[in-house]
Amino acid sequence: MMRVLDDVAHLPSTVPLFVFGAGQGGHLVVRAIRRRPQMRIEAVIDTYKRGEVNGIPVITPAEFFERAKPDTPVVIASMYMDEIKLQLAAHGVRNLYNLYPFVRNQLAEARYRRDRLRAALILTATVAAAWFLAA
C-alpha cells in the first residue's frame, strides 16, 4: 500500500526510513526529515546516483533489497513514483509513502520566491535607471 503525504510530519518516527530518490526531491525530503530529531534516515536509494545526500549514504536498489523486509518504510521523493512503486512491490516491499506532493509544493514555493525576487530586482533597476536618466 502506498500512502500519499504532503508533509514529513506524517511519516513514522519509530523506525529508520529509506528515501527513494537522490535528486532534487530527495534532497528536499532528506533536509525536511533531518529537521525532525525523532526521525532517522537509514539510506537514500537511487538507481543512478552514488555518494551521499546531506550526509546520508546513497545505495542501489539491489543493496536495499538485500536488507529490506516487506514492512521496511520507503519514502518516495521522485516524480517517477509509479515506476518506483512497481519496482518495490515486485520485491515485496509494501510500506510505501509517496512524498512527491510535498516535493512539488516545495519546488513551487521556491519558484514563487525566486520570481518575486527577480521582479523586485527588475523594478529596482528600472527605478534606478529612470532616476539616473532624469538627473
Side-chain angles (χ1 to χ4, degrees):
M1 177 169 95
M2 182 160 66
R3 294 167 212 79
V4 179
L5 304 176
D6 62 357
D7 193 342
V8 297
H10 304 295
L11 292 170
S13 60
T14 57
V15 293
L17 304 168
F18 286 84
V19 175
F20 204 119
Q24 192 173 19
H27 283 265
L28 288 168
V29 168
V30 167
R31 271 197 304 270
I33 291 173
R34 291 187 96 186
R35 283 189 220 114
R36 298 181 164 277
Q38 74 276 18
M39 291 183 180
R40 189 172 69 100
I41 303 170
E42 184 74 22
V44 175
I45 310 161
D46 200 279
T47 305
Y48 305 104
K49 296 183 179 179
R50 300 293 166 265
E52 295 182 343
V53 171
N54 295 348
I56 306 293
V58 178
I59 62 174
T60 65
E63 291 171 303
F64 170 72
F65 295 132
E66 286 176 8
R67 40 178 168 166
K69 295 180 175 63
D71 62 338
T72 300
V74 178
V75 179
I76 300 174
S78 169
M79 66 181 178
Y80 302 107
M81 63 226 137
D82 293 329
E83 294 89 344
I84 292 168
K85 177 185 174 185
L86 291 174
Q87 182 181 14
L88 293 167
H91 285 86
V93 180
R94 61 178 182 258
N95 194 8
L96 308 178
Y97 298 89
N98 176 3
L99 219 59
Y100 194 68
F102 168 81
V103 169
R104 197 173 41 240
N105 289 341
Q106 294 295 306
L107 293 174
E109 286 178 27
R111 272 191 303 277
Y112 175 75
R113 287 190 302 272
R114 185 191 65 231
D115 290 347
R116 284 186 50 121
L117 177 60
R118 182 178 293 138
L121 291 172
I122 291 170
L123 179 60
T124 301
T126 303
V127 170
W131 180 80
F132 178 74
L133 292 173

